[in-house]
Amino acid sequence: MHPERSNADIERIADKAAQGHRISPGEAAELWERAPLALLGKVATVIRENRNGDKVYYNRNFHIEPTNICLFRCRFCSYRREEGEEGAWNMGLDEIERTACSYAGSGVTEVHIVGGVHPDHDLEFYAEMIRRVKTALPRATVKAFTAIELAYMTGRSGLSLTEGLRLLRDAGMEAIPGGGAEIFDEDVRRRICPEKGSTLQWLEVHEAAHGLGIPTNATMLYGHVENIGHRIDHLERLRRLQDRTGGFNAFIPLKFRSRGNDMEGCGEVSITEDLRTLAMSRIYLDNFPHIKAYWPMYGKTTTELALSFGADDIDGTIDDTTKIYSMAGAGDINPAMTVGDIEKLAAVAGYRAVERDTFYNEVVR
C-alpha cells in the first residue's frame, strides 16, 4: 500500500470514529496496528468526553474472595490453589458474614464477590452467602460471581440458567462482574484455559442476566498468546451482544500478569500496548457506556495515563481486599486507595473524580 494513501486511510478511519460512527473490524485492525499512539489517544478522548465529560467514576467498594480452590487449571492464573496446598483458603459463611459486618457504617456502596470454582459449593451456598452479606450491608449492592462460576453452580443445581440467576437475584445479587471472558477465540481459549467454560457459555450467562434486568460488566484478558485479530473478534462479539440487550455497563481490559503461573514465558506487554488497547476498546465499543482502567491491575501511574486514552472509570477504593492481581505480580501488593487518592489521581490527569454506585448513579454525600 502506498504510504501516503495509507496515512490518509488512517486519518479517515480516525475521523469517522471521532464523529461517532461505527468502525468495522477491518478498520479497527488498521487503527490498532498502524495509527500513532497520540492519534488513538486523541480519538478515544473525544469519544470519552462526548459520553462522560470530565468525570472519572469511582466507587467505595471492597471484595470478598471466598476461595481460591478451583476446579479449573487455567494456565494464566496465579491465584488458584489445590485444597490443602500452601496459600489455599476457603471461607465459611460465618467468616464471610463477619467480613461484611466489619464494613457496616463505612459508606461502602458495593460488595464485589468472585473466587475460584470450588467443587463442593452449591447454588444454595452462594445464595445464603448473598443473603448474609445483604443482611449485614442492606444499602450496599452485591455484584457477584463470574459467568464461569454462575454456569457451574447453576448447572450443578439442575436448574436452568434463568432459574438459577433468578434465585440468586431474589437472594440479593443485583449485578454481575465481567470476569472469566479471557479471550473468546476458541483456539486461543484451548491453549490458555482448556478446562474452563466456553465462550458460548459466557455469552449466554450475560445475555440471560440482561434478560432478567441484571446489569453486567465485560472483560478481556490481553497480552499473552493472542493477536490483534483475536482482540478485535472479542470486542466484536461483545458489541453484538450489547446491540441486542443493552445490558453491559462497562468494559474492562485486563492485562495478563506473568508471575507465578504456567505462562510466565510469555512476559508482559508494554505500557504503550496497554494504552493502545484501552483506546481501541473505547473506539470500537461504541455502545458501551464506560471503559474501566482497573487500577489494582495497571497500577496507579498507568491508570492515570489511561484517563487520556479513553478510560472514564478506575473502579474503587478496594481496601486491600483482592489478591487476584497482586498474586500475579501487579504493582500494588496491598491495593487500596482513599477517596482523596482517587481525587488527586483524576485531577493530575485533568479530570474530576465523581463517586458512583454500581449502576453509575452519582452518589452525593
Side-chain angles (χ1 to χ4, degrees), residues 2 48 51 61 90 106 111 133 152 235 272 300 305 332:
H2 193 279
R48 171 248 194 280
R51 279 188 169 274
N61 65 342
N90 183 27
S106 68
V111 187
V133 171
Y152 176 79
L235 298 180
T272 298
K300 294 165 190 166
L305 291 171
D332 289 281

Side-chain angles (χ1 to χ4, degrees), residues 37 40-45 47 274-284 291 306 308-311:
L37 179 63
L40 291 184
K42 179 181 177 182
V43 173
T45 297
I47 296 169
D274 296 332
L275 299 177
R276 295 186 79 85
T277 301
L278 281 156
M280 286 304 305
S281 298
R282 179 62 287 170
I283 291 166
Y284 198 79
I291 302 295
S308 298
F309 287 84

Side-chain angles (χ1 to χ4, degrees), residues 86-211:
E86 183 180 355
W89 71 82
N90 183 27
M91 299 170 70
L93 291 173
D94 290 345
E95 183 180 359
I96 289 168
E97 183 176 2
R98 286 193 299 272
T99 300
C101 287
S102 72
Y103 284 89
S106 68
V108 297
T109 61
E110 179 183 286
V111 187
H112 182 121
I113 306 175
V114 296
V117 180
H118 195 288
D120 298 334
H121 293 171
D122 60 15
L123 189 64
E124 182 51 39
F125 175 87
Y126 290 108
E128 178 62 15
M129 181 190 301
I130 294 169
R131 285 191 286 266
R132 291 195 186 199
V133 171
K134 283 297 290 185
T135 298
L137 297 167
R139 301 180 70 177
T141 297
V142 174
K143 183 172 76 178
F145 314 129
T146 67
I148 304 305
E149 292 172 273
L150 290 164
Y152 176 79
M153 67 177 77
T154 301
R156 175 177 169 164
S157 73
L159 298 177
S160 71
L161 187 53
T162 298
E163 289 169 338
L165 290 172
R166 187 179 289 118
L167 185 152
L168 293 171
R169 184 193 63 185
D170 292 346
M173 184 185 76
E174 298 157 273
I176 294 172
E182 320 316 352
I183 282 285
F184 287 151
D185 180 84
E186 287 79 2
D187 289 337
V188 174
R189 207 171 181 87
R190 278 190 286 271
R191 293 175 64 188
I192 67 173
C193 52
E195 302 172 350
K196 199 169 203 168
S198 69
T199 294
L200 179 61
Q201 195 174 56
W202 191 97
L203 293 167
E204 285 177 342
V205 169
H206 283 263
E207 185 159 12
H210 298 169

Side-chain angles (χ1 to χ4, degrees), residues 19-61:
Q19 291 170 23
H21 301 297
R22 175 165 289 189
I23 64 170
S24 69
E27 290 171 326
E30 286 283 296
L31 281 185
W32 208 319
E33 293 172 355
R34 299 178 39 251
L37 179 63
L39 178 60
L40 291 184
K42 179 181 177 182
V43 173
T45 297
V46 168
I47 296 169
R48 171 248 194 280
E49 292 185 353
N50 283 342
R51 279 188 169 274
N52 297 298
D54 66 345
K55 298 173 184 177
V56 172
Y57 290 103
Y58 73 95
N59 65 352
R60 300 187 196 221
N61 65 342

Side-chain angles (χ1 to χ4, degrees), residues 180-251:
E182 320 316 352
I183 282 285
F184 287 151
D185 180 84
E186 287 79 2
D187 289 337
V188 174
R189 207 171 181 87
R190 278 190 286 271
R191 293 175 64 188
I192 67 173
C193 52
E195 302 172 350
K196 199 169 203 168
S198 69
T199 294
L200 179 61
Q201 195 174 56
W202 191 97
L203 293 167
E204 285 177 342
V205 169
H206 283 263
E207 185 159 12
H210 298 169
L212 291 171
I214 303 170
T216 74
N217 289 338
T219 62
M220 174 179 71
L221 184 71
Y222 70 91
H224 41 90
V225 301
E226 92 293 353
N227 59 37
I228 299 299
H230 297 138
R231 296 183 202 171
I232 294 170
D233 169 70
H234 190 99
L235 298 180
E236 172 64 17
R237 298 195 209 197
L238 289 174
R239 193 167 74 174
R240 281 193 236 124
L241 179 53
Q242 182 75 331
D243 278 344
R244 291 201 304 275
T245 69
F248 288 114
N249 275 336
F251 174 71

